[in-house]
Amino acid sequence: MKVQVCIIGGGPSGLLLSQLLHLQGIDTILLEKYSREHVLSRIRAGVIEHGFAKLMREAQCGERMDREGEIHHGFHIAHDSRLDYVDLHKHSGGNSVIVYGQTELTRDLYEARDKLGGNVVHNAEDVTPHDIASDAPYVTYRVGDKTVRVDCEFVIGADGFHGVSRKSIPTDVLREHEKIYPFGWLGILSRTKPVSPELIYVKHERGFALCSLRSQVLSRYYIQVPLSDKPEDWSDDAFWAELKRRLPEQVAAQLITGPSIEKSIAPLRSFVAEPMRYGRLFLAGDAAHIVPPTGARGLNSAASDIYYLYHALIDHYRKGDDSGLDGYSQKALARVWKAQRFSWWMTMLLHRFPDRLSYDERLQETEMSYLFSSETAQRLVAENYVGLPF
Ligand code: APR
Ligand code: PHB
């Protein structure tokens, strides 16, 4: 089989790119290791930058997001028994974010691929890129006993953190930067009315908490827990009690609790792999970088990679102009590192660090009081949270 672009990974990054390229008449195949049901069973953050929302519309996948997603003009930060507000709209020149679950967004992308008759292969085993440093790369995969070879012009590694693509870049070329935080987030999903129409990030002596939502009848809550904890250590009652302890009194009093329909612990990790291109292999999304969820940058950083790659491939096929492909790694990484910086800053601001010095604690308090005493500081947060320009 021969295609122009072979995409490895059927998460949001791979799906969005294959959809955008298909609409421009560029021929793709997408190889996903698992079933569609498996991909759609993952629950992940759902805050969408305005630039990403625009790209979803351009991909003809924005209709349900615009209908069912909620526009948030700001978010709250609870600290020291206060509830402060970051007004994104006011401080970012009228921008906002859309809160729409990543699972739903991925479902919309799959449906859009179906509608166009996109070439999407599920349960593709042993996906392996070959000859990526040459002008004639190819990818092999196996379905049952059958091995299939896909000859292509470009290979896109959009196969997430545990994927095969990044590992096919020689170790003497690839540099990896990683920071692992000494705690995780225990998250639950419950069919209850959210405690607040907009998100509340909580800094508390007992640890971080977050009140988020998927809709007006579906809430998502998180609490910071030690890495040694397991979801089964936490009954629903224990979770709600701990969450209430961390919320300001007036918020805790309004919290509606109910049975959890999902409960899991996510570790917090920052990771960047450089460069994001090797020969004819281009990495995108979680395959190249991970952020802790605190600033809600993960999915959005993936989207900016796809924006750059999409335009670079269009320029290559339409105008024979390779400057976008040649500059991809540098351009994508410049924005990736800014998202890393913001995620790190929000994580440092809001969590309780087990080995903190009293000096660190005082700095954290000063950072918080500075934020809410300075419009300039709030503008910095708003500019990053609604999304830096592509
Ligand atoms: N072969 C084929 N597919 C693979 C392989 C492989 N060897 N390894 C992993 N995959 C698939 C995974 O099953 C997954 O569906 O690649 C996909 C990668 O998807 P994601 O991990 O969701 O990564 P990405 O598409 O870059 O999405 C961006 O933003 O909010 C963050 O982490 C969050 O998923 C989110 C990400
Ligand atoms: C979520 O709703 O899951 C969520 C929202 C905002 C974050 C992280 C997670 O910063």
Side-chain angles (χ1 to χ4, degrees):
M1 180 192 308
K2 187 158 174 43
V3 294
Q4 287 167 304
V5 181
C6 178
I7 299 171
I8 306 176
S13 301
L15 289 165
L16 179 58
L17 184 65
S18 67
Q19 174 73 1
L20 287 163
L21 293 178
H22 192 147
L23 287 169
Q24 297 294 327
I26 295 169
D27 187 22
T28 69
I29 185 170
L30 186 150
L31 306 175
E32 164 58 48
K33 184 174 180 176
Y34 297 105
S35 68
R36 184 189 290 210
E37 294 68 41
H38 178 90
V39 174
L40 291 176
S41 66
R42 301 179 186 134
I43 297 179
R44 285 169 173 175
V47 175
I48 296 171
E49 294 175 356
H50 63 105
F52 177 24
K54 222 170 120 191
L55 198 58
M56 283 293 287
R57 292 180 199 116
E58 188 172 339
Q60 300 178 3
C61 298
E63 201 191 305
R64 198 157 71 95
M65 172 190 78
D66 282 328
R67 199 172 58 243
E68 294 177 15
E70 300 196 8
I71 296 176
H72 286 203
H73 290 310
F75 62 82
H76 303 275
I77 295 185
H79 63 101
D80 308 298
S81 311
R82 299 166 50 106
L83 192 60
D84 277 314
Y85 187 63
V86 178
D87 190 329
L88 297 173
H89 197 253
K90 174 172 159 199
H91 293 307
S92 73
N95 287 315
S96 49
V97 292
I98 300 179
V99 172
Y100 184 61
Q102 189 175 319
T103 315
E104 296 313 306
L105 180 135
T106 310
R107 192 187 309 280
D108 295 345
L109 285 164
Y110 269 122
E111 281 173 11
R113 298 310 295 120
D114 289 346
K115 219 159 127 187
L116 287 188
N119 197 356
V120 175
V121 178
H122 280 282
N123 303 308
E125 293 180 60
D126 301 337
V127 175
T128 314
H130 303 269
D131 293 355
I132 50 176
S134 80
D135 283 345
Y138 65 99
V139 177
T140 53
Y141 67 96
R142 189 170 58 75
V143 184
D145 300 338
K146 205 173 115 207
T147 297
V148 182
R149 173 180 167 136
V150 181
D151 288 284
C152 56
E153 284 152 13
F154 299 103
V155 180
I156 309 299
D159 47 354
F161 183 68
H162 300 287
V164 62
S165 302
R166 188 179 67 250
K167 292 175 194 135
S168 54
I169 299 181
T171 48
D172 59 335
V173 174
L174 196 70
R175 273 162 297 141
E176 298 187 331
H177 310 276
E178 187 173 51
K179 182 178 175 73
I180 301 202
Y181 293 88
F183 40 73
W185 283 13
L186 169 65
I188 70 160
L189 197 63
S190 76
R191 281 192 219 290
T192 49
K193 183 173 159 41
V195 70
S196 161
E198 294 186 319
L199 273 56
I200 307 177
Y201 290 88
V202 185
K203 172 183 183 283
H204 191 274
E205 187 47 33
R206 297 180 67 88
F208 169 82
L210 171 61
C211 305
S212 182
L213 58 137
R214 292 289 175 271
S215 72
Q216 281 313 308
V217 290
L218 197 56
S219 299
R220 181 79 169 149
Y221 295 104
Y222 297 95
I223 55 173
Q224 174 186 346
V225 293
L227 276 176
S228 50
D229 281 16
K230 303 267 165 297
E232 26 327 338
D233 302 339
W234 285 86
S235 66
D236 289 357
D237 286 347
F239 180 92
W240 293 119
E242 184 57 34
L243 176 63
K244 276 189 181 171
R245 279 191 206 110
R246 299 183 190 187
L247 298 178
E249 251 172 58
Q250 74 275 24
V251 179
Q254 304 207 338
L255 183 72
I256 299 172
T257 63
S260 64
I261 50 176
E262 194 265 354
K263 194 185 285 161
S264 54
I265 295 184
L268 269 71
R269 181 205 302 266
S270 301
F271 173 84
V272 182
E274 301 178 307
M276 285 173 61
R277 174 205 186 160
Y278 178 71
R280 288 188 170 244
L281 170 72
F282 293 77
L283 300 179
D286 275 21
H289 42 81
I290 301 275
V291 281
T294 327
R297 294 301 86 198
L299 177 61
N300 291 300
S301 298
S304 71
D305 295 347
I306 297 307
Y307 177 89
Y308 296 134
L309 260 183
Y310 165 51
H311 286 279
L313 287 165
I314 296 291
D315 286 350
H316 169 81
Y317 283 113
R318 287 271 167 79
K319 306 184 213 153
D321 173 2
D322 280 353
S323 57
L325 290 174
D326 292 341
Y328 169 71
S329 180
Q330 204 185 2
K331 204 166 175 179
L333 282 166
R335 196 176 187 281
V336 161
W337 276 109
K338 288 179 193 152
Q340 292 282 331
R341 186 204 71 80
F342 182 64
S343 306
W344 161 82
W345 178 83
M346 284 252 316
T347 303
M348 299 303 285
L349 177 73
L350 294 168
H351 289 80
R352 186 196 154 106
F353 285 78
D355 56 351
R356 70 207 164 142
L357 307 170
S358 65
Y359 178 86
D360 301 327
E361 232 169 283
R362 298 290 289 121
L363 268 188
Q364 204 185 28
E365 287 162 16
T366 305
E367 190 74 43
M368 188 67 85
S369 61
Y370 178 56
L371 172 62
F372 290 108
S373 66
S374 160
E375 287 222 346
T376 306
Q378 287 164 53
R379 268 203 291 279
L380 287 180
V381 175
E383 174 178 72
N384 281 275
Y385 200 90
V386 301
L388 296 171
F390 290 148

